[in-house]
Amino acid sequence: GTGEAEGGGNSDSDEPVELTVGAVPVPHAEILEEAKPQLEEEGINLTIETFQDYILPNEALADGSIDANFFQHIPYLEDQKEQAGYDFVSLGGIHIEPIGIYSKNIDDVDNIEEGTDVIMSRSVASHGRVLALLQENGLIKLDSEVNPVTAEVDDVVENPKNLNFDASIEAGFLVENYERESDALVAINTNYAIEGDLNPTEDALILEGSESPYANVIATRSENEDSEALQTLVEVLRSDEIQSFMEEEYDGAIVPVSE
Amino acid sequence: MITINNLSKTFKTKDHTVQAVDDVSIDIEKGDIYGVIGYSGAGKSTFVRLINRLEDPTDGEIILNGQDMTDLSKAQLRLERQKIGMIFQHFNLLWSRTVYENIAFPLEIAGIPKANREEKVLELIELVGLKGRENSYPSQLSGGQKQRVGIARSLANDPKVLLCDEATSALDPETTDDILDLLVSINEKLDLTIILITHEMHVIQKICHRVAVMEQGHVVEQGDVLDVFMNPQSKTTKRFVQQLNPQEGSVEELKDFITSDERSKVVKLHFVGHNAKRALISDVSKQFDINVNILQGSISPTQEGAYGTLYVEFQGEPETIEDVMNYVKTTGVGVEVIDHVD
Amino acid sequence: MITINNLSKTFKTKDHTVQAVDDVSIDIEKGDIYGVIGYSGAGKSTFVRLINRLEDPTDGEIILNGQDMTDLSKAQLRLERQKIGMIFQHFNLLWSRTVYENIAFPLEIAGIPKANREEKVLELIELVGLKGRENSYPSQLSGGQKQRVGIARSLANDPKVLLCDEATSALDPETTDDILDLLVSINEKLDLTIILITHEMHVIQKICHRVAVMEQGHVVEQGDVLDVFMNPQSKTTKRFVQQLNPQEGSVEELKDFITSDERSKVVKLHFVGHNAKRALISDVSKQFDINVNILQGSISPTQEGAYGTLYVEFQGEPETIEDVMNYVKTTGVGVEVIDHVD
Amino acid sequence: MLTNIFPNVDMEKMWVATYETLYMTFISVLGTFILGILLGLLLYLTNKGNLWENKSLNSIVAIIVNVSRAIPFIILILLLFPFTDFLLGTIRGPNAALPALIVGSAPFYARLVEIGLREVDKGVIEAAKAMGAKTRTIIFKVLLPESMPALISGITVTAIALISYTAMAGVIGAGGLGDLAYMEGFQRRNNDVVLACTIFIVVIVFIFQFIGDWISKRIDHR
Amino acid sequence: MLTNIFPNVDMEKMWVATYETLYMTFISVLGTFILGILLGLLLYLTNKGNLWENKSLNSIVAIIVNVSRAIPFIILILLLFPFTDFLLGTIRGPNAALPALIVGSAPFYARLVEIGLREVDKGVIEAAKAMGAKTRTIIFKVLLPESMPALISGITVTAIALISYTAMAGVIGAGGLGDLAYMEGFQRRNNDVVLACTIFIVVIVFIFQFIGDWISKRIDHR
Ligand SMILES: Nc1ncnc2c1ncn2[C@@H]1O[C@H](COP(=O)(O)OP(=O)(O)OP(=O)(O)O)[C@@H](O)[C@H]1O
Ligand SMILES: Nc1ncnc2c1ncn2[C@@H]1O[C@H](COP(=O)(O)OP(=O)(O)OP(=O)(O)O)[C@@H](O)[C@H]1O
Ligand SMILES: [Mg+2]
Ligand SMILES: [Mg+2]
């Protein structure tokens, strides 16, 4: 609970500090898992709570049942803080999962035909990100008054190729859609792409660059901002060992960050 | 014991009202077996259900042991009902309970502690002849055995009155006799008042002391069974009395004997009660120069003496036949010339 | 018309086998109303269900119009069944169909085009007296009316044989008479062979020409109804014959008359058939110095003549009584001294 | 005024979603009705003492029915992807939801059908047999008509369950009111949208229940 | 050998998930049984011609039952958050799934209870009344015991549906076999895990069905 987190970081103490962090299974929970031994050395006993959606980890953080969470990027965090009035802070980014747009039949952005389907996850949190990526590649134009992070399909103002957006597919089904809906563009989060035996760097038609603002962060309640245990957690996650684990394990599909 | 005054019950449904029981007044004495007979829809069931207030009367009063059943509170009514046993045509046993548990049910309802129930239940099981079947479920019993359980159950709370609604109508003739014998013996042993609904005349004949005949909610006739049998007034009653002697109804076969010959007359003889002259035919044959052919009919014993009808043919001189007729009248046997059959 | 040879049916269940029908041989002639009577479980239903192969016989043959029912293919059997009507105790009407549609059902099954059905159905509705109720559903009919629909339905395909399994057992006595009359009239009008199962003796008495008595799968007695009535051999048959005259059974009341007095004897007189001497009592009274008291009993007409039993008391000198007994025997009336009642 | 209480509700989207829900429900109810009756008849007929008594066939059908009743819907969708793709050439949209909806609810309905068929008076079936009826005639002219009120009230129950099921079909882009409530209401924290969708669903439920009750009353002449 | 066919199956995780599924199913079956019988009794007793005849109360209960039957599960979870939080102090894990599971299935079971109660012979109820029984006695000694086989086979059907329902509770971290199949099997394309979970689920289904059939046979003395 909260109490332990606040008193955490006192490595002189014999009692290990309990830390509970919420995460989605891949890759966040796996990265945390990898960090466990190092944290133990630092006197921190890490418990990982896995979540399947993007609303509840923040709810759980708000009601105090976890000390921090590790699943979201800054734009989403900001948006959620605004919408739900959370008093959260980011303790720093750990990695970027570049989102990619894949297609079985389309091999070049220039060959995208009129009326092509664009399939993306039903997670509202990622819609803006996909749309921003499409905008960067000149396929659509978003309403300039809208923050690209929270943009919705409705905010597309220019759509020269008449792309057809389907933004309601279960994220877990995206790879299956890539396989079967061969004429469509499918925006797949990197974690699902990896699990679906896709290699983002090779298979993606469009891949987010490392300049992406979507670094995944450790988030916690403002009151915990100075928690030593959480600071230690961030440090460990940015350590060389963990960073090289990410690079190797995820085949370049995950880009570690350290700022 | 039970006095019913001007009892009425009207059912109102969407499209019409039914006067199921209409201004019925009856007196039933302690220890009576009181029969109520009538055709389907006559209001018999409604009548008996009014007595224990399964239906609320529209009008009238039911005085049971000096207690007016119509002005009881809910709680009082429940207590009162515990003193009225009821037996149903379809037994209405709980299939989820054994014979023992079914009979113990009214005792549970009356709040009698478990320990005190056992003796009573076993005694009743013995009484209705089901010893050894305590742990059977109703589905393992024959119709007659089920009705015995029903009877035992209705007696569990030592009721003063037993209501039977077509208690034997679902049983075959054999079993019916069996159950009726049981009812008579209980009536005698426990001095229980029994009100018995039926549409079968022979049930009335066999065990009832008094009878009321219902038709369209009215009691059209009531009194001692023999009185009603002897002088059926209403058409309904006549038809029921006929039921008892089916041959009496089918008088068509008499046609062949009804001729215009003055020397032959078809006569109906009606024997009623203890002093019915059983030797009548023999007497007449001796005293008069006349032949008596028995055509059809029957004589049977009832609770109150012999009862029956014989159709006979008198053969002889017209004057002799006339004399015979007059003689028969003096013996108390009913006599009637049948000169046509319709 | 129907010849049944050594018919047997064994049911095998987990824990025991039941020989429901056991080596039954019966000949039924065209136009007969053939009754089969027996207690519950005697195998009556199984017997009749074997005839139209609702059950497959274990052994024996059923020859119907020269056709052995036991070696038909499935398709042939279906065709053959269309020529056998069947009436059920519980009517077995389709509640989802109107009277008209229920009666048309066998015609649909036989593949008769819709247009051709109408005439037949309306004719049958007329025959069973249900005109005007064509569009009623079974739930809107009384028991008797339902059975009329059942009868009409069974006649739709102009069957040569009608099987009735307890066709009247679910009906009240009134309605039963009604339905039996209808069966007789159909039998006469259409010269239909009827096999009629029942456990009620008066049904047999009223309409059957011939009867078989079943007991535990066997036919213990068969023949003309009157023959069987007159000389019941088996205990079962005797008990059934008693059913017809319930008073005959309850001979307890005779006890009071059975004394050790040599000058009084209780005698059972048995009248059977067309030549039953109806004037017997009158005759005896005239010819002998003896008094005849009628105690109980009944005489009734059957399809084949009068039939009945009277219990009488002879009062007179012992020798005279002896003479009377000998005289009665010469008249063809059965006579038997009752010296004890059990 | 309504826009005050429901500031985020877009009526056009609501109608589209309502149409999608009704479309999916109607078609899948139809499919469930047919498939369920087939399976239910099989269960009934192959049971002991019935027309096609066949212990092993009965067990196989019973296993299929039990298993598909227990498989979670999302797994069912997944397992049916190849079939759906083959049948419709797509795995997205309302149509693609239908196979899973039907396969998910037909076994449940089949059980209700079986129960209904068991209530048919054995005597009536026997009467039809005694008249020389073919099995087909018995099925179509006796078993189904005589159990129709039970079949109708069963499909009503199933249809109402299907309405809630269609929400789950949102995961493959089938849309509908349940999905709208999740996407626009829950995920965007617009409680008014959740409420509006719930109201719409409830109204649809009542209409279904009303129609079901009415039909089953009309055809019940018992 | 088994590890050859199921290379990705972690038996420890399987047992944990099985435990979670069983835990959620047991508790929610229990809750559904009690709440469903309560609602079913209310539906029955307030119906026309019955002990507590009350048209408006009957309509209210019927509406509650119909509405909660139709609300999609995910929306139901959401709507119950405040209640769950108040009751359990958390909105995550197997326990937090229980309110939604129970509220989602009790109305369905209530309908089955009502149907079962309607089958109780009116004559038997009347007999109890004629003996002077209180309403409570009639409920506990007549209505419930006499309808018990129907109540048991109803809860069996409901329990099997609940097993598939628990998979959806995965969204709030409740775990269970359905969730394991989705998370570890489907999402990671480990078909062996999907298969293994499905087999476990099917086995559980059969055990439930067997127990249900056995009990209902044991107590049915009709
Ligand atoms: N609850 C009710 N609502 C409306 N009408 C009723 C009700 N109960 C009985 N009736 C009507 O009251 C009349 C008398 O019915 P009741 O059941 O008392 O007749 P019964 O003599 O017992 O007939 P049966 O011999 O068929 O049992 C009938 O016309 C019946 O339709
Ligand atoms: N399908 C069956 N399986 C096993 N035993 C059976 C079956 N059908 C009938 N029996 C048995 O065969 C015997 C004869 O039964 P059947 O129904 O023919 O008698 P019944 O004379 O018609 O009796 P009831 O008057 O009660 O109708 C009974 O002992 C019965 O238990
Ligand atoms: Mg009645
Ligand atoms: Mg029989």
Side-chain angles (χ1 to χ4, degrees):
Chain A
T2 317
E4 291 99 12
E6 271 166 2
N10 185 358
S11 38
D12 304 334
S13 162
D14 309 14
E15 284 290 301
V17 179
E18 296 291 336
L19 204 55
T20 308
V21 177
V24 291
V26 185
H28 306 77
E30 291 177 356
I31 295 169
L32 288 172
E33 193 69 39
E34 187 67 21
K36 260 187 178 174
Q38 284 193 56
L39 287 166
E40 218 160 300
E41 284 170 23
E42 303 281 343
I44 295 171
N45 198 351
L46 180 68
T47 309
I48 305 162
E49 281 257 21
T50 50
F51 288 82
Q52 282 184 50
D53 78 318
Y54 294 152
I55 297 285
L56 293 173
N58 280 335
E59 285 285 321
L61 180 59
D63 77 8
S65 51
I66 54 177
D67 299 315
N69 64 36
F70 177 35
F71 75 102
Q72 60 198 327
H73 45 66
I74 292 171
Y76 183 71
L77 175 65
E78 291 305 321
D79 179 55
Q80 290 296 298
K81 277 162 72 177
E82 193 179 310
Q83 282 206 28
Y86 296 130
D87 188 14
F88 292 166
V89 291
S90 158
L91 297 179
I94 307 299
H95 70 271
I96 295 168
E97 296 174 27
I99 204 164
I101 294 180
Y102 301 75
S103 176
K104 200 124 212 183
N105 286 356
I106 303 169
D107 49 16
D108 194 295
V109 178
D110 298 332
N111 296 344
I112 295 173
E113 286 181 23
E114 273 278 311
T116 299
D117 285 344
V118 178
I119 299 169
M120 55 183 118
S121 147
R122 69 199 267 100
S123 164
V124 169
S126 64
H127 290 177
R129 190 174 174 187
V130 175
L131 292 170
L133 190 57
L134 291 172
Q135 180 169 251
E136 266 169 44
N137 284 272
L139 288 165
I140 56 164
K141 216 167 213 135
L142 291 170
D143 188 340
S144 53
E145 305 201 342
V146 176
N147 177 0
V149 169
T150 56
E152 303 171 21
V153 174
D154 290 353
D155 298 325
V156 174
V157 287
E158 273 179 42
N159 184 0
K161 297 216 164 178
N162 273 322
L163 299 181
N164 220 339
F165 295 98
D166 183 345
S168 66
I169 301 299
E170 166 70 24
F173 289 160
L174 288 171
V175 175
E176 196 77 27
N177 274 273
Y178 160 76
E179 302 276 359
R180 295 181 186 278
E181 306 275 331
S182 21
D183 294 327
L185 296 170
V186 186
I188 307 179
N189 305 58
T190 296
N191 55 331
Y192 292 114
I194 298 166
E195 280 166 1
D197 287 336
L198 290 172
N199 185 332
T201 42
E202 288 171 20
D203 296 333
L205 188 60
I206 307 171
L207 192 64
E208 255 178 350
S210 54
E211 72 283 4
S212 157
Y214 292 93
N216 283 234
V217 298
I218 299 282
T220 186
R221 294 179 296 277
S222 299
E223 66 199 41
N224 284 351
E225 187 165 6
D226 300 321
S227 156
E228 285 182 35
L230 290 174
Q231 303 287 2
T232 313
L233 172 68
V234 172
E235 273 166 34
V236 168
L237 291 175
R238 286 179 177 171
S239 67
D240 289 344
E241 284 167 49
I242 300 298
Q243 293 211 337
S244 53
F245 164 77
M246 285 192 247
E247 275 160 358
E248 282 160 27
E249 178 75 13
Y250 300 108
D251 231 355
I254 285 181
V255 184
V257 293
S258 321
E259 81 277 3
Chain B
M1 169 94 200
I2 307 177
T3 308
I4 287 154
N5 292 326
N6 308 99
L7 193 63
S8 292
K9 173 72 188 179
T10 314
F11 287 111
K12 284 201 173 58
T13 58
K14 249 193 314 219
D15 23 86
H16 59 304
T17 54
V18 181
Q19 186 77 22
V21 170
D22 195 357
D23 196 24
V24 166
S25 299
I26 286 182
D27 261 307
I28 300 171
E29 269 154 47
K30 189 164 164 52
D32 256 4
I33 302 185
Y34 198 101
V36 178
I37 193 164
Y39 287 124
S40 187
K44 309 179 297 293
S45 294
T46 308
F47 170 68
V48 81
R49 290 158 53 84
L50 284 167
I51 295 179
N52 64 358
R53 287 275 307 280
L54 284 177
E55 303 282 358
D56 285 320
T58 313
D59 211 354
E61 47 181 25
I62 303 147
I63 295 159
L64 208 148
N65 270 327
Q67 169 70 62
D68 188 345
M69 290 293 286
T70 52
D71 54 42
L72 293 174
S73 72
K74 269 199 160 178
Q76 284 173 316
L77 177 62
R78 275 205 300 272
L79 286 179
E80 209 55 44
R81 277 183 181 163
Q82 293 173 11
K83 295 184 222 147
I84 306 175
M86 188 158 184
I87 309 176
F88 302 85
Q89 175 172 6
H90 295 294
F91 325 133
N92 293 351
L93 304 178
L94 285 90
W95 60 253
S96 56
R97 290 175 164 239
T98 60
V99 166
Y100 183 98
E101 291 163 348
N102 262 293
I103 298 175
F105 190 39
L107 300 170
E108 289 175 31
I109 290 176
I112 289 161
K114 194 165 178 168
N116 306 8
R117 286 179 220 149
E118 177 157 354
E119 192 189 357
K120 184 75 197 174
V121 173
L122 292 179
E123 181 192 318
L124 285 167
I125 289 178
E126 180 99 44
L127 177 73
V128 298
L130 282 176
K131 224 176 149 182
R133 302 306 300 267
E134 293 84 353
N135 297 319
S136 301
Y137 285 92
S139 60
Q140 301 164 326
L141 302 178
S142 71
Q145 289 171 324
K146 282 185 201 147
Q147 197 55 292
R148 283 161 184 278
V149 179
I151 293 174
R153 183 177 70 174
S154 71
L155 297 173
N157 278 320
D158 296 318
K160 298 286 159 274
V161 183
L162 202 57
L163 308 175
C164 312
D165 190 359
E166 312 252 6
T168 57
S169 303
L171 302 174
D172 63 67
E174 309 281 325
T175 321
T176 296
D177 280 355
D178 224 42
I179 294 294
L180 293 181
D181 289 344
L182 180 60
L183 285 178
V184 171
S185 86
I186 288 166
N187 166 258
E188 285 164 0
K189 226 182 275 177
L190 312 175
D191 196 25
L192 200 63
T193 309
I194 298 180
I195 300 180
L196 190 146
I197 307 285
T198 185
H199 62 254
E200 292 175 312
M201 196 59 182
H202 69 93
V203 171
I204 301 277
Q205 174 217 338
K206 199 170 156 122
I207 73 166
C208 292
H209 309 122
R210 303 212 291 139
V211 65
V213 181
M214 284 192 77
E215 196 186 324
Q216 297 189 347
H218 297 278
V219 167
V220 288
E221 238 164 307
Q222 58 173 306
D224 284 354
V225 170
L226 265 189
D227 288 344
V228 173
F229 278 24
M230 185 159 50
N231 296 309
Q233 300 298 319
S234 70
K235 223 173 147 180
T236 310
T237 316
K238 280 184 187 143
R239 188 65 190 80
F240 273 117
V241 171
Q242 245 179 39
Q243 208 183 71
L244 211 51
N245 301 305
Q247 295 80 27
E248 193 167 329
S250 52
V251 285
E252 274 151 62
E253 284 81 2
L254 296 177
K255 249 186 290 193
D256 305 337
F257 300 95
I258 299 173
T259 56
S260 54
D261 184 355
E262 281 289 297
R263 297 178 38 78
S264 157
K265 276 228 147 33
V266 174
V267 170
K268 173 179 170 185
L269 299 176
H270 205 55
F271 300 83
V272 182
H274 292 295
N275 38 17
K277 199 153 167 57
R278 298 173 191 269
L280 183 75
I281 292 175
S282 175
D283 274 7
V284 165
S285 306
K286 278 195 198 330
Q287 289 179 32
F288 300 89
D289 179 16
I290 198 167
N291 269 328
V292 184
N293 287 338
I294 301 178
L295 302 180
Q296 66 181 54
S298 74
I299 307 259
S300 55
T302 71
Q303 291 282 93
E304 316 257 321
Y307 165 80
T309 304
L310 286 183
Y311 289 87
V312 299
E313 184 188 26
F314 288 161
Q315 290 176 328
E317 293 306 317
E319 306 83 59
T320 322
I321 293 179
E322 195 61 33
D323 291 346
V324 171
M325 298 284 289
N326 289 329
Y327 169 73
V328 172
K329 278 173 192 155
T330 67
T331 62
V333 172
V335 60
E336 188 183 331
V337 175
I338 307 289
D339 42 21
H340 68 282
V341 169
D342 36 26
Chain C
M1 167 96 200
I2 306 178
T3 308
I4 288 155
N5 291 327
N6 306 99
L7 193 63
S8 292
K9 172 71 187 179
T10 315
F11 287 111
K12 283 200 174 59
T13 59
K14 249 195 316 231
D15 22 271
H16 58 304
T17 54
V18 181
Q19 185 78 20
V21 170
D22 196 356
D23 196 23
V24 167
S25 299
I26 286 183
D27 261 307
I28 300 172
E29 270 154 46
K30 189 162 167 52
D32 257 2
I33 302 186
Y34 198 101
V36 177
I37 194 164
Y39 287 123
S40 186
K44 308 180 296 295
S45 294
T46 308
F47 170 67
V48 80
R49 290 157 54 83
L50 285 167
I51 295 179
N52 65 358
R53 286 278 306 280
L54 283 176
E55 302 282 358
D56 285 320
T58 313
D59 212 354
E61 47 181 25
I62 303 148
I63 295 158
L64 209 149
N65 269 328
Q67 170 68 62
D68 189 346
M69 290 293 287
T70 52
D71 53 43
L72 293 175
S73 72
K74 268 198 161 182
Q76 283 174 315
L77 177 61
R78 274 204 300 273
L79 286 178
E80 208 54 44
R81 277 183 181 163
Q82 292 173 10
K83 296 186 220 145
I84 306 175
M86 189 158 183
I87 309 176
F88 302 87
Q89 175 171 8
H90 295 293
F91 324 132
N92 293 351
L93 304 179
L94 286 91
W95 60 254
S96 56
R97 290 174 164 239
T98 61
V99 166
Y100 183 97
E101 291 162 348
N102 262 291
I103 299 174
F105 190 38
L107 299 171
E108 288 174 33
I109 289 177
I112 289 161
K114 196 165 174 167
N116 305 11
R117 286 177 220 152
E118 178 159 351
E119 191 189 359
K120 184 77 197 171
V121 173
L122 293 179
E123 180 193 318
L124 285 166
I125 288 179
E126 180 98 44
L127 177 72
V128 298
L130 282 176
K131 222 177 151 184
R133 302 306 300 267
E134 293 85 352
N135 296 319
S136 301
Y137 285 92
S139 61
Q140 300 164 327
L141 302 178
S142 72
Q145 289 171 325
K146 281 184 203 146
Q147 198 54 295
R148 284 162 183 277
V149 179
I151 293 173
R153 182 177 69 175
S154 71
L155 297 174
N157 278 322
D158 296 317
K160 297 286 158 274
V161 183
L162 201 58
L163 308 175
C164 311
D165 190 359
E166 312 251 8
T168 57
S169 302
L171 302 175
D172 63 66
E174 310 282 326
T175 320
T176 296
D177 281 354
D178 224 40
I179 294 294
L180 295 180
D181 288 343
L182 180 59
L183 286 177
V184 171
S185 85
I186 287 166
N187 166 258
E188 286 165 1
K189 226 182 277 177
L190 312 176
D191 196 25
L192 201 62
T193 309
I194 299 181
I195 300 180
L196 189 146
I197 307 285
T198 184
H199 62 255
E200 293 175 311
M201 197 58 182
H202 70 93
V203 171
I204 301 277
Q205 173 216 336
K206 198 170 155 119
I207 73 166
C208 293
H209 308 123
R210 304 213 289 138
V211 65
V213 181
M214 284 192 76
E215 198 186 324
Q216 298 188 348
H218 298 278
V219 167
V220 290
E221 238 163 307
Q222 58 173 306
D224 283 355
V225 169
L226 262 189
D227 288 345
V228 173
F229 278 24
M230 183 158 52
N231 295 309
Q233 300 298 320
S234 69
K235 223 174 145 180
T236 309
T237 316
K238 280 184 187 147
R239 187 67 190 81
F240 273 117
V241 172
Q242 245 178 41
Q243 210 184 69
L244 208 52
N245 301 306
Q247 296 79 27
E248 193 167 328
S250 53
V251 285
E252 272 151 64
E253 283 81 1
L254 295 177
K255 247 185 294 192
D256 305 338
F257 300 94
I258 299 171
T259 57
S260 54
D261 184 354
E262 282 289 298
R263 299 178 35 81
S264 157
K265 275 227 146 36
V266 174
V267 171
K268 173 180 173 185
L269 300 176
H270 204 55
F271 300 83
V272 181
H274 291 296
N275 38 16
K277 198 153 166 55
R278 299 172 191 271
L280 182 76
I281 291 175
S282 175
D283 274 6
V284 165
S285 306
K286 278 194 194 335
Q287 291 179 31
F288 300 91
D289 181 17
I290 198 166
N291 269 328
V292 185
N293 287 336
I294 300 177
L295 302 178
Q296 65 181 52
S298 74
I299 307 260
S300 55
T302 70
Q303 291 281 93
E304 316 258 322
Y307 166 80
T309 305
L310 285 183
Y311 289 88
V312 300
E313 184 189 25
F314 288 160
Q315 290 177 328
E317 293 307 316
E319 307 84 58
T320 320
I321 293 179
E322 195 63 33
D323 291 345
V324 172
M325 298 284 288
N326 290 330
Y327 168 73
V328 173
K329 278 172 194 154
T330 66
T331 63
V333 172
V335 60
E336 188 184 332
V337 175
I338 306 291
D339 43 20
H340 68 282
V341 170
D342 37 25
Chain D
M1 203 209 83
L2 268 179
T3 46
N4 283 346
I5 310 176
F6 297 107
N8 301 303
V9 174
D10 174 345
M11 278 316 284
E12 197 171 319
K13 282 191 185 166
M14 289 295 288
W15 289 125
V16 171
T18 306
Y19 168 78
E20 286 161 345
T21 294
L22 286 178
Y23 175 79
M24 282 190 280
T25 309
F26 270 128
I27 308 278
S28 55
V29 163
L30 201 71
T32 301
F33 191 65
I34 294 166
L35 189 60
I37 285 182
L38 278 176
L39 284 172
L41 270 172
L42 257 181
L43 275 175
Y44 173 81
L45 291 171
T46 58
N47 208 344
K48 221 178 135 195
N50 293 339
L51 289 166
W52 293 343
E53 177 164 350
N54 183 331
K55 202 164 173 167
S56 39
L57 184 55
N58 187 266
S59 309
I60 291 170
V61 179
I63 288 173
I64 293 174
V65 164
N66 267 352
V67 169
S68 39
R69 248 162 78 202
I71 295 181
F73 190 67
I74 193 130
I75 306 283
L76 202 60
I77 288 184
L78 166 76
L79 295 175
L80 286 172
F81 268 158
F83 173 72
T84 311
D85 194 11
F86 167 76
L87 202 72
L88 302 163
T90 179
I91 56 167
R92 289 183 307 125
N95 282 320
L98 299 175
L101 288 172
I102 293 171
V103 171
S105 56
F108 172 76
Y109 182 52
R111 279 276 175 222
L112 300 184
V113 170
E114 190 200 2
I115 293 172
L117 291 173
R118 280 205 199 143
E119 299 284 298
V120 174
D121 186 357
K122 290 258 182 278
V124 173
I125 299 165
E126 183 139 279
K129 269 195 226 167
M131 290 176 214
K134 293 197 188 97
T135 302
R136 194 163 36 117
T137 313
I138 294 179
I139 292 174
F140 287 103
K141 302 210 162 184
V142 180
L143 286 174
L144 294 183
E146 295 277 304
S147 61
M148 202 42 83
L151 301 190
I152 294 295
S153 59
I155 198 71
T156 309
V157 170
T158 313
I160 289 175
L162 266 170
I163 294 172
S164 110
Y165 245 46
T166 58
M168 285 187 280
V171 300
I172 52 166
L177 287 164
D179 188 49
L180 188 66
Y182 179 72
M183 295 290 290
E184 305 268 320
F186 176 61
Q187 285 206 38
R188 294 183 200 268
R189 304 174 170 268
N190 296 329
N191 287 332
D192 59 331
V193 177
V194 174
L195 183 63
C197 289
T198 307
I199 293 173
F200 270 56
I201 290 173
V202 167
V203 169
I204 295 177
V205 166
F206 275 90
I207 293 173
F208 271 71
Q209 186 75 50
F210 178 81
I211 295 175
D213 287 352
W214 184 81
I215 296 180
S216 113
K217 207 167 163 186
R218 274 295 301 268
I219 57 170
D220 195 346
H221 299 292
R222 279 174 297 198
Chain E
M1 203 208 81
L2 270 179
T3 46
N4 284 346
I5 309 178
F6 297 105
N8 301 301
V9 173
D10 174 345
M11 276 317 282
E12 198 171 317
K13 280 190 183 166
M14 288 295 287
W15 289 125
V16 172
T18 306
Y19 168 78
E20 286 162 343
T21 293
L22 286 178
Y23 175 80
M24 283 190 280
T25 310
F26 270 127
I27 308 279
S28 55
V29 163
L30 200 71
T32 301
F33 190 64
I34 294 167
L35 189 60
I37 285 182
L38 278 176
L39 284 173
L41 269 172
L42 258 181
L43 275 176
Y44 173 79
L45 291 171
T46 58
N47 207 344
K48 220 178 135 194
N50 293 339
L51 289 166
W52 294 343
E53 176 164 349
N54 183 332
K55 199 161 175 172
S56 39
L57 185 56
N58 187 267
S59 309
I60 292 170
V61 179
I63 288 174
I64 293 175
V65 164
N66 269 352
V67 168
S68 38
R69 248 161 78 201
I71 296 181
F73 191 66
I74 187 117
I75 306 285
L76 202 60
I77 289 184
L78 167 74
L79 293 175
L80 286 172
F81 269 167
F83 172 74
T84 310
D85 196 10
F86 168 77
L87 200 74
L88 302 162
T90 176
I91 52 165
R92 302 213 345 104
N95 280 320
L98 298 176
L101 288 172
I102 293 170
V103 171
S105 57
F108 173 74
Y109 182 53
R111 279 277 176 222
L112 299 184
V113 170
E114 192 201 0
I115 293 172
L117 291 173
R118 280 207 200 140
E119 299 284 298
V120 174
D121 186 357
K122 290 260 181 276
V124 173
I125 298 165
E126 183 140 280
K129 270 195 225 167
M131 290 175 212
K134 294 198 187 97
T135 301
R136 193 164 34 118
T137 313
I138 294 179
I139 292 173
F140 287 103
K141 302 210 162 185
V142 180
L143 285 175
L144 294 182
E146 295 277 304
S147 61
M148 202 43 85
L151 301 190
I152 294 295
S153 59
I155 198 70
T156 310
V157 169
T158 313
I160 290 175
L162 266 170
I163 294 171
S164 108
Y165 246 44
T166 58
M168 284 187 280
V171 299
I172 53 166
L177 287 166
D179 189 46
L180 188 68
Y182 181 68
M183 298 292 289
E184 304 267 321
F186 169 62
Q187 288 206 13
R188 305 199 169 171
R189 324 205 124 231
N190 297 329
N191 287 333
D192 59 332
V193 176
V194 175
L195 182 64
C197 289
T198 307
I199 292 173
F200 270 54
I201 290 174
V202 167
V203 169
I204 294 177
V205 166
F206 275 89
I207 292 173
F208 271 69
Q209 186 75 51
F210 178 81
I211 295 175
D213 287 351
W214 185 79
I215 295 179
S216 115
K217 206 167 165 185
R218 272 297 298 269
I219 58 170
D220 194 347
H221 299 292
R222 278 174 298 196

